[in-house]
Amino acid sequence: MATFFGEVVVAPSRAGVDDEEWAEETPEDRDIRKELEKKREIDVLWTLKSGAAAESPAEGPSACSRFIVAMGRNAAAFLSSFILDSVCWEVVGVVKLWNEWCRTSSTTNVLPTDSFCLFYRLISDPTVLLCQCSCYVAEDQQFQWLEKVFGCMQKEGLQVIVLSTCPVADYKTQESTLTLPSPFLKALKTEEFKDQVCCPLLEQPNIVRDLPAA
C-alpha cells in the first residue's frame, strides 16, 4: 500500500519466494519454467533502410526528440483516427511479445497486421516517434518492455508523452460521476516538463497503473 501520493508501489513477485520452495522444484518443472521465461521475453525489431529487420538497439532510431506512446485500445484508436490517418508516417518498428492475453506472430515482417505494438516515424521529422500499443503487457514484462524500447533512444532532450485511458467509474472525485463530461482529459507531469499542460492535472488520490505508470 502506498504511503504517500506518487509513490511507486512494487507488485509482489516470485523473487520473494523462499529457497526451500525453489528446492522442491523438479528438473522437469525447472525446464518448463525456463521455457516459459524464454517465451515471455520481449523482442523489439526495427526496420533498416534496406527493409530488413534488426533486433540490435544500435539499429534503432537513436536520435529522438519526442516519443508519443498510446497505451490501450482506446488510446491506440485515437492515434489511428486523428494522427496516423495520413501519409505523413511510416512504420519503423514492432514489439513481439507473448503472455496470457497476447499472442503476437513469430514472423519478423513489420506489418500492421502482424503485431499489436507498432512504432511510427514522422517522415518530415524522423526524430518524432509514435508507439501504438494496444496489446496487454504483463507485470513481469513491463520493465523489459521499457528497457528494450528506451534502450535504443537518446535520453538527452527526449520528451515522452503517454496517452492512456481508464473507466470513469475508477475516477475518484467528490462530484457525481454522472455529471462529468465523458470523455474528459487529465494530466500528470514530471518536474522536467516545462511546457504548458493542455488540460487540468489529475487530482489525488487518483493513480495511473500498469505500463503507463512504469
Side-chain angles (χ1 to χ4, degrees):
M1 181 179 295
T3 57
F4 62 91
F5 184 71
E7 180 183 5
V8 177
V9 181
V10 180
S13 69
R14 290 187 62 91
V17 178
D18 295 335
D19 293 337
E20 295 180 359
E21 185 174 338
W22 281 110
E24 298 175 359
E25 189 179 40
T26 65
E28 291 79 8
D29 292 338
R30 191 179 303 110
D31 292 339
I32 293 174
R33 177 173 56 83
K34 289 182 178 179
E35 285 296 323
L36 285 175
E37 289 177 353
K38 184 177 180 180
K39 197 171 186 178
R40 293 175 75 89
E41 289 182 0
I42 291 177
D43 294 323
V44 179
L45 306 175
W46 301 99
T47 55
L48 305 176
K49 292 182 179 180
S50 59
E55 297 184 30
S56 172
E59 302 294 352
S62 57
C64 185
S65 62
R66 182 167 299 181
F67 185 39
I68 304 173
V69 189
M71 302 288 187
R73 296 186 180 277
N74 291 334
F78 174 82
L79 282 188
S80 295
S81 300
F82 296 99
I83 299 179
L84 294 173
D85 189 21
S86 66
V87 295
C88 301
W89 302 87
E90 60 179 350
V91 178
V92 293
V94 63
V95 173
K96 303 288 185 180
L97 60 96
W98 181 96
N99 55 47
E100 297 81 0
W101 301 100
C102 182
R103 303 287 192 274
T104 59
S105 172
S106 59
T107 60
T108 57
N109 295 325
V110 182
L111 298 173
T113 57
D114 190 42
S115 175
F116 300 91
C117 188
L118 292 173
F119 298 97
Y120 296 84
R121 179 170 56 192
L122 185 62
I123 296 176
S124 59
D125 185 359
T127 65
V128 178
L129 293 180
L130 293 181
C131 177
Q132 193 177 31
C133 184
S134 59
C135 62
Y136 171 74
V137 182
E139 288 185 356
D140 63 312
Q141 295 176 314
Q142 291 173 8
F143 176 76
Q144 186 184 167
W145 193 98
L146 295 168
E147 188 178 42
K148 291 193 174 183
V149 170
F150 286 95
C152 61
M153 295 183 185
Q154 219 170 13
K155 307 300 187 300
E156 187 176 355
L158 173 62
Q159 184 184 86
V160 180
I161 300 173
V162 180
L163 305 175
S164 65
T165 58
C166 68
V168 176
D170 293 344
Y171 180 63
K172 298 175 178 61
T173 177
Q174 294 181 347
E175 303 177 35
S176 171
T177 55
L178 297 177
T179 61
L180 293 173
S182 183
F184 59 90
L185 189 64
K186 299 285 183 176
L188 285 174
K189 69 180 184 70
T190 62
E191 294 180 354
E192 288 76 15
F193 187 83
K194 303 302 182 182
D195 295 347
Q196 183 177 359
V197 181
C198 63
C199 61
L201 296 178
L202 185 66
E203 309 91 344
Q204 300 184 30
N206 293 284
I207 61 174
V208 178
R209 297 181 174 88
D210 301 323
L211 190 57

